[in-house]
Amino acid sequence: MRDALIGEVLVQPDELARRVRELGAEISRDYKDREPVLIGVLKGAAFFIADLMRAIEGHCVVDFMAVSSYGSSTATSGVVRILKDLDMSIEGRDVLVVEDIVDSGLTLSYLLRTLRAREPRSVEVCALLTKPSRRRVDLDLKYVGFEIPDKFAIGYGLDVEERYRNLPFVAEYGGNVDDL
Ligand code: IMP
Ligand code: MG
């Protein structure tokens, strides 16, 4: 894809593949003889979760949630609305929330509160990317793919107004994020 707004590559395809394999192996060990419910947060995490699940050995199931945060498309207000809820009950289950990126952490923090109220046996988080310098709430991310600098990232599920999700790498967005 030729596009002047695709900036510097932050994570190459082979690095993504290697890290996904490592995370899958770690999760397989940690959840041995259990059957975790992987919850993907749409739409961004759909790409990561599809690869991650195939790197997990043993039984696991998948479900999806869609949330929207009020306010601008690139900065979270912390007010989150559930657009699509889970199909299955998570009561008594081992839940692993799979996120594409944790920025301020406000979206995830809201989601975790909502999920914990349903009394799962455990709840952990696996995030492909995290921007620690932007964090506004304290979150315990058990599995993290890569820490990236405070840059707006696109690709491998991450979008700008629905574009660029199909890039096989993660890159810095070269456009002006304040314009969005
Ligand atoms: P948070 O609530 O600030 O942690 O924002 C989380 C959500 O904002 C992510 O799930 C993404 O949908 C979106 N987001 C945050 N940073 C980026 C980015 O760099 N690129 C694309 N989407 C982002
Ligand atoms: Mg998201």
Side-chain angles (χ1 to χ4, degrees):
M1 192 190 303
R2 290 169 65 92
D3 183 332
L5 296 182
I6 301 172
E8 186 200 333
V9 175
L10 300 172
V11 192
Q12 295 284 2
D14 62 320
E15 298 176 277
L16 286 168
R18 182 183 50 78
R19 192 71 189 113
V20 167
R21 271 199 307 277
E22 287 173 359
L23 290 170
E26 219 179 303
I27 291 166
S28 307
R29 275 196 305 277
D30 293 352
Y31 288 87
K32 193 173 179 320
D33 301 322
R34 290 191 280 165
E35 187 175 38
V37 182
L38 273 63
I39 298 180
V41 186
L42 294 172
K43 300 171 192 172
F47 302 74
F48 173 43
I49 204 172
D51 287 338
L52 181 68
M53 235 188 138
R54 283 175 288 182
I56 296 176
E57 250 183 79
H59 292 298
C60 59
V61 300
V62 66
D63 204 346
F64 292 97
M65 271 181 109
V67 297
S68 97
S69 47
Y70 292 104
S72 94
S73 56
T74 59
T76 313
S77 59
V79 184
V80 179
R81 192 158 53 105
I82 295 179
L83 301 177
K84 184 223 170 288
D85 207 334
L86 298 173
D87 293 331
M88 63 179 78
S89 162
I90 55 167
E91 193 183 335
R93 303 288 308 252
D94 293 299
V95 166
L96 183 59
V97 178
V98 179
E99 257 286 27
D100 49 3
I101 189 163
V102 182
D103 187 35
S104 70
L106 291 168
T107 306
L108 189 59
S109 148
Y110 170 88
L111 209 62
L112 290 174
R113 260 201 313 277
T114 306
L115 294 174
R116 286 200 178 104
R118 301 178 190 184
E119 302 185 349
R121 180 154 74 159
S122 67
V123 184
E124 299 292 352
V125 178
C126 177
L128 177 67
L129 305 169
T130 164
K131 293 186 219 171
S133 65
R134 301 254 310 168
R135 201 61 36 85
R136 285 172 58 191
V137 285
D138 194 28
L139 281 174
D140 179 25
L141 308 179
K142 182 149 189 195
Y143 309 96
V144 170
F146 301 91
E147 290 191 355
I148 62 166
D150 182 11
K151 302 268 171 66
F152 199 79
I154 53 172
Y156 197 64
L158 297 166
D159 74 305
V160 170
E161 293 179 328
E162 297 301 325
R163 244 186 212 168
Y164 306 112
R165 294 194 198 273
N166 59 324
L167 296 178
F169 49 82
V170 176
E172 184 182 336
Y173 178 59
N176 191 349
V177 189
D178 302 327
D179 291 347
L180 298 171

